Amino acid sequence: MIRTWCKDHPIQFMACYLVFYLAFFKLLEQGIQVPDLVLHCRLDDLIPFCKYAIIPYYLWFAWIPCTLFYLLWFNDRREFWRLCLPLFTGMTLSLLFCAIVPNGTDLRPAYIYGNDIFTRTVRALWRTDTPTNVFPSIHVFNSVTLALAYHHCARLRGRKWLWVRVSADLLCVSIILSTMLLKQHSVIDVMGGIILALTLDAVADAVALRTAPSVAYRHNHHHALPEHS
């Protein structure tokens, strides 16, 4: 019954998950002040702070709904659910891990100088988003999962749409770098997010192969097919 309702009401489903995610995240932010596990590695100290990284970091918030609605409205509905499966599962698993193993970082500088819009925006981010609940990085996990969705999308195959897939990859990379340049995440968090994304994408492929073999076959073999412009 729930599955049927979700299938018939995808927008309401996304809205319900958003409420669940924000409530869970706020609960973690308020409940975990001192993490049990502090994530910090030598590579983190080699990465400089860059306030301009706030631009791709915030683009993440628009990229998620834009991609979901694009797949929902302009593509086979099964491709929309093909993205929802790993995306929402991974976000939930990340929150659960943070609840079980409270974690955080100690990377943020004590103070950043300046009063320009970039500096003020970073300060605002740090005030609302504590350096806790960081592993695996949901920013990174979502970015990799979204980028993979553009490569899976049947409508965006071929040389004609190569620029879209490349743009998605570049946005993904810029968001990943921004999490470290803003000292929001450790390299460890980033690697955790990437591994989680690749793992759940493989799981989603396996599920699609069982539930919609024709769609899964096209996803897994489109590189072997001749491209049409």
Side-chain angles (χ1 to χ4, degrees):
M1 182 178 178
I2 295 178
R3 181 177 179 180
T4 301
W5 182 87
C6 292
K7 183 178 179 181
D8 294 338
H9 303 86
I11 296 179
Q12 291 89 330
F13 164 74
M14 288 190 291
C16 288
Y17 184 80
L18 178 62
V19 171
F20 162 77
Y21 174 81
L22 292 177
F24 199 161
F25 184 79
K26 184 176 181 180
L27 184 64
L28 289 175
E29 286 286 289
Q30 294 178 342
I32 301 176
Q33 301 296 325
V34 180
D36 296 337
L37 177 65
V38 177
L39 297 161
H40 191 154
C41 68
R42 189 178 298 274
L43 282 176
D44 295 325
D45 300 326
L46 301 177
I47 300 173
F49 168 78
C50 177
K51 60 186 178 183
Y52 303 111
I54 196 68
I55 298 175
Y57 189 86
Y58 269 130
L59 285 176
W60 175 84
F61 293 96
W63 194 24
I64 297 173
C66 286
T67 301
L68 285 168
F69 280 112
Y70 170 74
L71 291 178
L72 178 62
W73 288 336
F74 300 105
N75 294 270
D76 188 320
R77 183 67 61 86
R78 288 172 295 186
E79 295 194 357
F80 166 77
W81 292 112
R82 168 65 178 74
L83 172 59
C84 286
L85 173 62
L87 189 69
F88 296 151
T89 299
M91 293 169 71
T92 303
L93 289 176
S94 298
L95 293 177
L96 287 173
F97 182 82
C98 291
I100 297 170
V101 184
N103 57 79
T105 64
D106 57 357
L107 304 174
R108 294 180 180 179
Y111 184 78
I112 52 175
Y113 296 92
N115 198 38
D116 57 277
I117 187 172
F118 301 104
T119 305
R120 294 199 303 269
T121 306
V122 172
R123 290 196 190 111
L125 171 66
W126 286 355
R127 283 195 300 268
T128 57
D129 189 3
T130 65
T132 57
N133 311 309
V134 296
F135 182 89
S137 168
I138 294 179
H139 249 71
V140 171
F141 163 76
N142 280 3
S143 297
V144 174
T145 302
L146 291 176
L148 289 171
Y150 285 84
H151 288 273
H152 290 314
C153 182
R155 182 182 289 269
L156 298 178
R157 296 200 186 115
R159 296 173 185 172
K160 179 180 178 180
W161 301 108
L162 176 62
W163 68 273
V164 175
R165 302 194 301 273
V166 171
S167 297
D169 292 339
L170 292 175
L171 180 56
C172 172
V173 171
S174 66
I175 292 174
I176 291 174
L177 292 175
S178 75
T179 65
M180 296 178 285
L181 291 169
L182 289 175
K183 300 302 178 179
Q184 285 288 99
H185 286 283
S186 165
V187 173
I188 301 171
D189 309 329
V190 169
M191 295 307 299
I194 293 174
I195 292 172
L196 180 62
L198 295 177
T199 301
L200 291 182
D201 186 73
V203 171
D205 259 345
V207 171
L209 188 61
R210 295 185 61 182
T211 58
S214 61
V215 175
Y217 182 86
R218 291 198 303 270
H219 284 167
N220 293 328
H221 294 79
H222 72 273
H223 292 299
L225 299 175
E227 294 188 337
H228 302 282
S229 56

